[in-house]
Each structure stands twice: as C-alpha cells, then as structure tokens.
Amino acid sequence: MINDKKVKLRLLPPVHKVVEEVSQIGEIKDNYYISGITWAVRNALEKARVIILDSDNSQESGTISKIREARAEFWEYSPEEFCPALHDWLNNEVLKELQDSNTILRRIINATGVVLHTNCGRALLAPEVADYVARQALHYTNLELDLETGNRGSRNDHIQELLIELTGAEASLVVNNNAAAVLLIMNTLAKQKEVIVSRGELVEVGGSFRIPEVLKAGGANLVEVGATNKTWIKDYREAVNPETALLLKVHTSNYRIEGFQHSVSTEELVKLGGELGIPVVEDLGSGSFLDGVELGLPKEPTIQEVVRTGVSLVCFSGDKLLGGPQAGIIVGKSALIERLRENQLTRALRVDKLTLAALAGTLRLYQRGEVSKIPVWQMLSKTKRELHEEAERFQKALANLSSLEVEIQANNSFIGGGAFPTATLPSSVCAVGTTKGTAGELERFLRQGRVPILTRIFKDKVLFDPRTLLPGDYQEIVNRFEEWENCIR
Ligand SMILES: *Cc1c(COP(=O)(O)O)cnc(C)c1O
C-alpha cells in the first residue's frame, strides 16, 4: 500500500505540464489568464496529493469508500491505469477551481477610490466589530431573551438604547435594508392612502429601488407635487386631502438639481404636518451621525439634525456613511414605531443576530467617540498628503518591474453609495501604464487574479487610488504585477 502511494505520488505531473495541457481546453483558454490557471493547477495537484496520501483511510470508512467505488476515482486505479484517470480528473478539477473562483464570494481589493462601492459590498466593518460578530456567530446569544425574567425579549431592544442615545429619537426599529424600511413605513402608515412626494425627489437608487415603485409595493398611492426643479410648501398644502396619510421627503442621493431650483426643507414640512395632523417621514438614504464639512464635503443634515426637526420618522441605511452592516434603521416617534413593529411584514424584514451585532458594535464606536476606528471614516478622512505618501511607497514597490510605467497623478475619489453625489475628495493616485498590453488588458488581468483587484481606467492608464486600499492590499497588488511581468503574452 505504502509503495502504491509512493508510486502514485511520483506519477503526479509537474505544474507546468498540467498548465500546458489544460490551456488547450477551449473553455479554459478563452476565459482565463495563465496566472489564474497556474494557481488552479497548483490547488488541484495539492488536492490530488492529499487524496492519494489519505486513500487507505477512506477505504476503512465504509460509506466513503462505497461512494468512491461507485465513482471509480483516479486514486483507485493500479499504477498502470493511474495516469489516464488522473489526467481526466485533473482537467476536471482545474476547470472546477476556475469556475468556483468566479462564483463564490471572495475577498477583493478595491483600488477604485469609491469608498461605498455597492458592487463591492459597501462599508467595511471595523476589525474589532468583525471580531465581535464572529464571537456572536460561535455562541448562543440572548437575542430574544430577557435575562432578568427569563422571558422572551425583543431583538430590537438591544440596539434601541444606543440608537436613542445617538439620534435623540424616542424609539427605533432595524430591518433588512433601507428599501425595506421605506416599504414597511408605507405599508403600515399609508396602505390604500395617499403619500405626497415632490417631483424633484422621485429617486431611483441602483435600478431596483424606485420611490414610486416602492410606494406601490407597500400599497400606498403616490401623489406627486411641484416640478422637477421647484417644489414649494404650498404645493404640499394644496395636495392634502382626507386620503393623505404621509408627507414624504426623500434625500436625492445620487443626483443634484442645481441652478433654478427650490425644494422644501424638513422643518417646513414638519410645520405643515403638525398643523394638518399628518406625519412627516424622511428617507435620508445615506444617513450619517457626522457631517463631512471638515473633510471638505458639502453640508448635509446629520441624522440627529433631522430628528431634531421633529419629523415623525426618519430612515437610513446601515452600510452607507454609517459604516456598519447592511440594514435599514428607522427612528422617530414611539407611537409610530410601535405600529411598524406590529405589522406582519416586520417579521419578514427582520435582521439576524449577526447584523445586529455588527450594527451594535459600530454604534458603540460612535458612542465612545472612537469614530477613527470606522473604516469608512478612516478612508474619507485620509489627507491628500497621506495619500500622496502612500502612492509614493507603492510607486517604489513597483519600480523594478520593467513592463510598467508608474506615475503619481492628482485625481479625485468618490464617496459612492448614494452619499454626496456630486462631491469628490482630492486624492493622489498611481497611474500605471504597461508595455505589455493595453490598459483594458491589464485591468482585466488584475481583476482575474487570486485576489481580484478592482481598478479604474483613465486615459489609457490603470489607476490605483490609495484611499480605499488597506495595508495588506499592497503586497497582493505587487505580487499580481509580478505575475503580469512574468506572464507570456
Ligand atoms: C440607498 C438609498 C436607499 C436604499 O437603501 P438600501 O439600504 O440600499 O436598501 C433608499 N433611499 C435612498 C434615498 C437611498 O439613498
């Protein structure tokens, strides 16, 4: 048996032979770069080695060996028949590795400078928050348990105290995301009734969330008032009738109406709502506890400021400027929050313990004044000088790769995630050109490595914005450029 294993191990082909071989396969040749293929081949050979070494153990365990008998896998053949069987197995395995690496959720490197990149999962959690989440995942928790009485508790109570303290609101409810928050509010407070919204605020966020459609899905009837560029308080007043359930203000997250324009402030709406006895709701989109003015961003109302206007409810995302997990947070008057909690939909939209842990961990950082530990704010507050120094270090790390031309350029980072749509932050980026191909080819090569690297192309160069790069990212990027330097093209 031992000998059989040794013989088989010796029959495993070297990496380059398998790479050569599988590169002939159409599906592999057309879709993957040599470095990705090499990586997949290494993994497959390593797996083969483990299987061969482990083969007699598996024969001892009845079920596994039966399954294996049925499939007659490569390691069961005699040394003479072993090679053809191995060959087929390897080809298959490499293809599987390559396909898996394209489908399973993977770490990527975001070099785009877009801090809240929806395609990349928006906000990163602070490491200590991630630790806290991992610990909650490994144990039972008091998620819905009142430890004093031993009775059933509410998963929302844990976070409510923090949200009340931070926002100044009376009560809170956390749901799956902000779209769910808007849906729930409409369904609870405005079903088969009318909701008045300015024509300048009929927002579409990322294709699938459109204010008119979400209102409809919640069962509410949209009443548009004003014009695209101008809406006045009298437009709302004139539209109110006995069917009016809500006045809704929506943050224009991803566009700006500039020039000849007028919109109605939350204060004005609250005054009108108070006068007529109609609740006012604000969908703040990317709500934030901090204003970005010090960082050079335009003034936007913070969550606390909106709450202070006396608005009935305000909702916002957990994973935009808040810097936490995906969640929809609703805060406001307790009587209305109570009605939301009683809606059957709330059960369908509720968040799990991991989301609550991530949110609680992030909120605690705000509470303790440890905002500098929140990655979103770390990235937003990197100074131009810091970014320039990072870009210079990166340029140096790439200096001995002759296929690259790396220069540092002044450029801008975007906030993303529907926050500050027209604002940018000044940055210093590394602009990389290559003698080995086009910027498009390099961009694709970077995106298809073991750790995919997402970049921007600008004027035939591939840009690396240090704003969204984490300390561990640089070595991975350098490794990938070395692969580019050494690959045959
Ligand atoms: C982003 C956004 C939403 C959707 O929030 P999600 O948390 O992504 O569901 C809704 N409304 C506004 C104004 C937004 O900016």
Side-chain angles (χ1 to χ4, degrees):
M1 211 50 191
I2 303 286
N3 263 336
D4 185 45
K5 276 190 197 177
K6 273 192 183 157
V7 173
K8 286 178 177 173
L9 281 180
R10 238 178 277 133
L11 287 171
L12 287 179
V15 175
H16 74 270
K17 270 266 159 55
V18 187
V19 171
E20 227 169 75
E21 170 83 35
V22 297
S23 300
Q24 308 298 317
I25 300 171
E27 186 177 348
I28 294 183
K29 186 174 63 189
D30 298 341
N31 295 306
Y32 303 97
Y33 276 106
I34 199 82
S35 58
I37 300 171
T38 309
W39 166 71
V41 167
R42 281 210 183 94
N43 284 355
L45 281 169
E46 185 52 36
K47 207 161 163 183
R49 208 165 283 126
V50 171
I51 289 172
I52 292 167
L53 285 170
D54 202 35
S55 50
D56 45 328
N57 286 341
S58 56
Q59 269 160 16
E60 282 160 24
S61 95
T63 339
I64 292 180
S65 73
K66 267 199 203 100
I67 294 168
R68 287 181 173 172
E69 262 165 35
R71 288 189 310 180
E73 297 273 19
F74 72 92
W75 61 86
E76 301 191 35
Y77 288 90
S78 67
E80 296 73 49
E81 302 159 316
F82 175 77
C83 282
L86 171 70
H87 175 267
D88 289 349
W89 184 86
L90 276 175
N91 286 0
N92 233 321
E93 200 58 29
V94 170
L95 191 59
K96 257 195 342 215
E97 284 273 351
L98 287 167
Q99 287 167 342
D100 283 356
S101 68
N102 273 354
T103 54
I104 294 173
L105 210 50
R106 289 163 75 192
R107 167 194 166 190
I108 72 159
I109 292 172
N110 173 13
T112 63
V114 181
V115 177
L116 296 168
H117 203 306
T118 298
N119 301 1
C120 304
R122 292 198 187 149
L124 305 185
L125 294 181
E128 67 175 74
V129 174
D131 276 351
Y132 175 58
V133 174
R135 272 181 279 125
Q136 300 305 309
L138 292 169
H139 298 281
Y140 292 111
T141 72
N142 61 333
L143 182 66
E144 293 197 345
L145 186 66
D146 181 337
L147 291 173
E148 287 288 318
T149 63
N151 295 334
R152 183 169 186 171
S154 154
R155 64 180 62 206
N156 257 293
D157 289 349
H158 306 288
I159 211 124
Q160 176 158 273
E161 265 173 53
L162 271 169
L163 280 168
I164 289 175
E165 183 181 336
L166 289 165
T167 65
E170 292 172 12
S172 71
L173 178 63
V174 179
V175 290
N176 186 46
N177 55 22
N178 191 33
V182 178
L183 177 73
L184 179 63
I185 293 170
M186 293 307 138
N187 187 261
T188 310
L189 304 180
K191 198 170 172 190
Q192 287 163 3
K193 295 214 156 193
E194 293 181 359
V195 177
I196 304 178
V197 189
S198 159
R199 286 203 170 89
E201 297 175 0
L202 297 173
V203 178
E204 169 177 313
V205 188
S208 53
F209 179 93
R210 281 178 165 176
I211 284 292
E213 269 78 3
V214 176
L215 263 60
K216 200 150 113 201
N221 299 321
L222 168 67
V223 175
E224 302 174 22
V225 295
T228 305
N229 57 331
K230 284 200 176 194
T231 304
W232 301 90
I233 192 72
K234 72 169 178 19
D235 297 322
Y236 290 88
R237 186 185 284 281
E238 283 164 11
V240 170
N241 69 67
E243 291 306 304
T244 308
L246 291 179
L247 307 179
L248 175 65
K249 184 167 177 62
V250 185
H251 185 65
T252 55
S253 307
N254 44 16
Y255 62 97
R256 272 276 171 281
I257 297 172
E258 278 175 1
F260 192 59
Q261 68 87 34
H262 185 267
S263 60
V264 175
S265 69
T266 312
E267 284 85 350
E268 285 176 283
L269 278 180
V270 168
K271 195 156 155 261
L272 181 67
E275 188 188 312
L276 303 174
I278 301 170
V280 176
V281 172
E282 179 151 355
D283 171 8
L284 200 49
S286 185
S288 170
F289 292 123
L290 308 171
D291 84 30
V293 173
E294 261 178 58
L295 307 176
L297 292 166
K299 172 65 193 159
E300 296 270 13
T302 61
I303 300 162
Q304 312 86 289
E305 284 165 354
V306 175
V307 168
R308 233 178 284 137
T309 64
V311 72
S312 312
L313 295 174
V314 49
C315 61
F316 47 93
S317 298
D319 56 353
K320 292 184 180 173
L321 281 177
L322 203 75
Q326 179 191 302
I329 300 160
I330 311 170
V331 301
K333 308 286 185 210
S334 21
L336 296 179
I337 296 282
E338 199 46 49
R339 285 179 62 192
L340 298 180
R341 289 189 183 191
E342 285 163 7
N343 188 331
Q344 286 293 315
L345 260 186
T346 300
R347 169 63 191 252
L349 304 176
R350 77 180 187 186
V351 293
D352 81 321
K353 65 170 181 174
L354 301 182
T355 301
L356 280 175
L359 189 57
T362 306
L363 293 174
R364 271 200 313 230
L365 293 177
Y366 284 103
Q367 184 198 32
R368 293 196 216 118
E370 295 176 3
V371 176
S372 61
K373 290 184 176 168
I374 298 174
V376 167
W377 289 97
Q378 272 171 4
M379 290 176 180
L380 290 176
S381 56
K382 282 187 189 174
T383 65
K384 217 180 152 199
R385 189 204 181 103
E386 285 166 342
L387 291 161
H388 190 79
E389 283 167 6
E390 273 192 52
E392 274 180 343
R393 274 200 298 277
F394 185 44
Q395 187 186 34
K396 272 206 197 100
L398 296 177
N400 52 12
L401 298 180
S402 63
S403 66
L404 305 179
E405 298 149 3
V406 186
E407 55 182 72
I408 297 176
Q409 293 177 353
N411 208 303
N412 291 313
S413 319
F414 297 89
I415 292 79
F420 305 108
T422 52
T424 55
L425 290 169
S427 187
S428 272
V429 304
C430 273
V432 182
T434 177
T435 53
K436 278 187 98 165
T438 64
E441 285 165 336
L442 178 57
E443 184 275 334
R444 185 170 146 217
F445 181 85
L446 292 165
R447 185 157 38 78
Q448 293 186 344
R450 196 180 65 85
V451 181
I453 303 161
L454 206 66
T455 53
R456 281 192 280 156
I457 296 181
F458 182 66
K459 292 191 179 162
D460 273 336
K461 304 262 179 175
V462 176
L463 302 192
F464 289 80
D465 190 332
R467 188 177 299 280
T468 47
L469 291 175
L470 303 171
D473 289 345
Y474 287 101
Q475 192 53 51
E476 286 289 347
I477 300 172
V478 171
N479 292 349
R480 189 64 181 151
F481 271 122
E482 280 167 358
E483 288 173 354
W484 171 259
E485 174 102 350
N486 297 325
C487 75
I488 303 137
R489 293 179 51 82

